[in-house]
Amino acid sequence: MSAVLGDGTVESAKGRSPADIYPVVDDIRLHRLRPNHDDLYPVPIVLVPSLLSKWYVFDLHPARTMAGFLRDHAYDVWVVDWGKPARHRQTPSFENYIDDYLAAARDDVAGASEVDRVSLLGYSLGGVISTMYTALYPDRVRNLITLTTPIDFHRTGMTATWARYFPVNPFVDFWGNVPAWWMRAAVSSSSLPRVVQLWKTLGGDEEDPLRAEVLRAVRKWIGDGVPVAGEMYRTLVRDCYKHNMLIRNTLPIGGRTVELSNIDAALLTITASDDHLCPPQSSQALNRAVSTEDETAIMVPGTHLGAVIGPKAHHLLWTRIADWLEHRSGHHPADWYGEGAL
C-alpha cells in the first residue's frame, strides 16, 4: 500500500502507528500511516505540524492519535516531519518552508496517490504555512483545514503586544536559529495556568495506567523541542505579529505577495475556546478573507494543545474533521461497490 518516493528509500516507522517514512528534501520527511482498509478515500490528507514542536503531536499515543483516527476512517494519512534546522546550513525562511519543503512534500503525496489536489490540515504555525501555500498554489489544494492557526496576528492578545517591543532582528542575528529552550520558556511563561489545567485533565488520576502513559507521552513531546529557523522567525515576528501583513494581503514571499483571496479550496477553520495563543477571532478572520463559498468555522472546547490531544478530542474534534472531509474527499470507499453497499 506504500509508494516509493524520493530516492526510493522506505523505512518502518518507530512511532505509535505503523507507518512508512519517506525522505523529501534536506531533513524533511513524510510519515505515511499504513492503511488498515483495502479501499481509501481518493483524496489524501497531509497533516502539517507547527514548526515549534515535533510532528508526533498528531500521533502521540494509541489513545491520543488524530492521525490514527483518520486512518481508521479510511483516509490516506501523511504527516510532515520538519526535522530541525541544521546549524551548518543557512537558516530556512518562510519561502523555503513553502516553496521547497511543503511544496515537495505535497507533490510527493499527490504523485503517490495519483491526484491533482490534496487536503492540508495545518496545526498552529503549520496552519500558517499551509494557508500561505494554498494562497500561492491554489490549484494544488482541494481542502484546507486550519487548526488553532493565527491569521489576524493583531488579535492574538499578549503575543501581539509583546511582538511590538521584541528586538527580533538583533536576537536572530545573534542566535541564528532560535534555541528550543527559549521557545519553551516563552510559551510556558505565558500559559502556566493553562498548562496546570491540561496536566489535571490528562493525568488527574495517576493510578490509572492509561492516563499515566498519556501524561508521560505529553511530557516527552513538550520536552522534545526543536530549534526554530531564525529567518522564518524574523519574518513571523516582524511581518506577521508586528505589521499584520498576512491578513492585509501584503506579505511578500519569494518575490510574490500572499493574497488570501486566491484561496478557493474548501475551508474548515477550527478554534479552541480557551486558546490564549491563538484566540478564535484571530483564526476566523481567514473565513472572511478567502474567495471560496465552501467555508466553515467551528469552535471546540479546550486550550491550544488540549483541544487537539485532550481526552475528549476524539468526539469533539477528530470526528468533526472526519465528517467534514467525507464529502470533500471523493466518493466514500463503500460507494465503489454500488448502491446499497452500506
Side-chain angles (χ1 to χ4, degrees), residues 257-325:
T257 300
V258 178
E259 297 188 17
L260 298 177
S261 60
N262 288 340
I263 297 177
D264 59 5
L267 172 67
L268 175 62
T269 298
I270 305 171
T271 59
S273 60
D274 194 26
D275 188 347
H276 76 293
L277 294 174
C278 178
Q281 61 267 26
S282 174
S283 296
Q284 292 167 356
L286 181 60
N287 292 67
R288 297 185 293 273
V290 297
S291 63
T292 180
E293 296 181 359
D294 185 1
E295 53 85 15
T296 306
I298 63 172
M299 183 187 300
V300 297
T303 62
H304 193 76
L305 178 59
V308 180
I309 62 169
K312 298 181 180 180
H314 176 280
H315 65 274
L316 293 178
L317 177 62
W318 306 343
T319 297
R320 299 177 77 175
I321 292 173
D323 290 346
W324 184 86
L325 281 171

Side-chain angles (χ1 to χ4, degrees), residues 18 30 58 86 152 174 215 224 255 262 269 281 315 322:
L30 279 166
F58 291 125
D152 184 345
F174 178 79
L215 186 56
D224 195 13
N262 288 340
T269 298
Q281 61 267 26
H315 65 274

Side-chain angles (χ1 to χ4, degrees), residues 73-101:
H73 285 72
Y75 291 98
D76 187 6
V77 181
W78 302 69
V79 186
V80 175
D81 178 356
W82 295 119
K84 63 180 181 180
R87 296 178 62 90
H88 64 277
R89 289 200 297 264
Q90 182 178 2
T91 175
S93 63
F94 262 123
E95 181 181 355
N96 295 127
Y97 279 106
I98 294 167
D99 290 339
D100 300 332
Y101 303 156

Side-chain angles (χ1 to χ4, degrees), residues 2 9-23 29-32 34 55:
S2 61
T9 301
V10 180
E11 307 174 30
S12 292
K14 298 179 181 178
R16 302 299 182 189
S17 298
D20 296 312
I21 304 176
Y22 303 95
R29 303 190 299 177
L30 279 166
H31 299 246
R32 186 185 196 181
R34 293 176 182 166
W55 66 272

Side-chain angles (χ1 to χ4, degrees), residues 43-44 106 110 115-119 138-143 264-265:
V43 180
R106 190 228 72 103
V115 297
D116 294 326
R117 293 186 172 194
V118 305
S119 296
D139 60 330
R140 303 181 185 181
V141 180
R142 178 163 177 169
N143 303 301
D264 59 5

